[in-house]
Amino acid sequence: MSSDDQLNVSEKFFRRIRSFVKRDGRMTPGQRRVLDELWPSFGLEMKAGQLDFTQAFGREAPCYLEIGFGSGHSLLAVARSHPEKNFIGIETYQPGIGTLLLGVEQAQINNIRVYYADAVEVLQQCIPAASLDGVQIFFPDPWQKRRHHKRRLIQPDFVKLVTDKLKPEGILHLATDWENYAEHMMDVLSAADNLVNLAGPNQFATRSSQRPVITKFEQRSHHSGRPTWELQFSKT
């Protein structure tokens, strides 16, 4: 790669529109404690480079990635329900990571690992190609105003990046409580060359066992009269 090409890649990287706003709020003493105590065992660092799943989990097992797990209630529930699988979570909200690790401590489970980082950067730098059995993204920020739609995470370039990390027949699993975003997700995923809608063309999926609990966030959506739209696409 020439120096001019390197400069163009660098400029594109730093100009990338972020799909999130980092919002580290005040942490409880319990959240701070588990971060201090459990991060060496459960935390993953981008500076370590490409991830060796077997080394990170101490075993070989199917591996799933959740992007933007919030406070981790769904991730924790699915990890408890499927001890035979490994789960990696990516989150930029530090108190949410603390809440997840409190749940890990209480449940005494060892099949979750966590990145405190930007998901795009983790995918680019740390996740090997064709290594994941599934990627799940539940209730990403809908960026409701039309002028902010360009900030939505689910865009063709991002979906291609995610799909490259899936094994053949790996599942990309999305959920949102905003109809306009659900329609956008359907359009983007349906246009991808190597993804197939498991529910049928232009059909939304029924609730999956990979999303086993209704979180407080989803309950608030239902109380506001917003249903949940779910999509499951398989890599060909």
Side-chain angles (χ1 to χ4, degrees), residues 138-156:
F138 301 149
F139 306 102
D141 194 325
W143 292 101
Q144 300 164 36
K145 295 180 180 178
R146 183 176 294 275
R147 68 177 184 271
H148 291 156
H149 284 185
K150 62 186 177 183
R151 295 186 175 275
R152 287 175 167 176
L153 182 64
I154 306 305
Q155 305 290 356

Side-chain angles (χ1 to χ4, degrees), residues 2 6 15 17-18 32 55 66 132 176 203 219:
S2 70
Q6 289 175 333
R15 287 201 306 265
I17 297 171
R18 300 281 173 168
R32 173 56 62 189
Q55 183 178 48
E66 180 163 341
L132 296 170
T176 181
Q203 298 298 308
Q219 287 176 344

Side-chain angles (χ1 to χ4, degrees), residues 155-156 159-160 163 172 185-197 233-234 236:
Q155 305 290 356
V159 169
K160 182 181 185 308
T163 305
L172 176 54
M185 289 175 171
M186 182 66 74
D187 289 343
V188 171
L189 269 62
S190 297
D193 292 335
N194 54 349
L195 289 176
V196 174
N197 189 340
F233 280 65
S234 176
T236 58

Side-chain angles (χ1 to χ4, degrees), residues 67-138:
I67 295 172
F69 58 76
S71 294
H73 300 300
S74 180
L75 179 57
L76 182 67
V78 74
R80 292 181 65 179
S81 299
H82 296 279
E84 77 284 1
K85 299 176 181 179
N86 294 334
F87 294 88
I88 300 169
I90 305 175
E91 182 53 66
T92 60
Y93 182 53
Q94 200 171 44
I97 296 174
T99 299
L100 173 69
L101 292 180
L102 282 169
V104 165
E105 180 183 60
Q106 183 177 13
Q108 291 293 292
I109 62 176
N110 192 40
N111 60 335
I112 290 178
R113 300 292 183 270
V114 182
Y115 280 104
Y116 173 50
D118 176 357
V120 171
E121 295 173 7
V122 171
L123 287 166
Q124 289 173 333
Q125 301 177 39
C126 303
I127 305 300
S131 63
L132 296 170
D133 294 87
V135 175
Q136 48 202 47
I137 308 171
F138 301 149

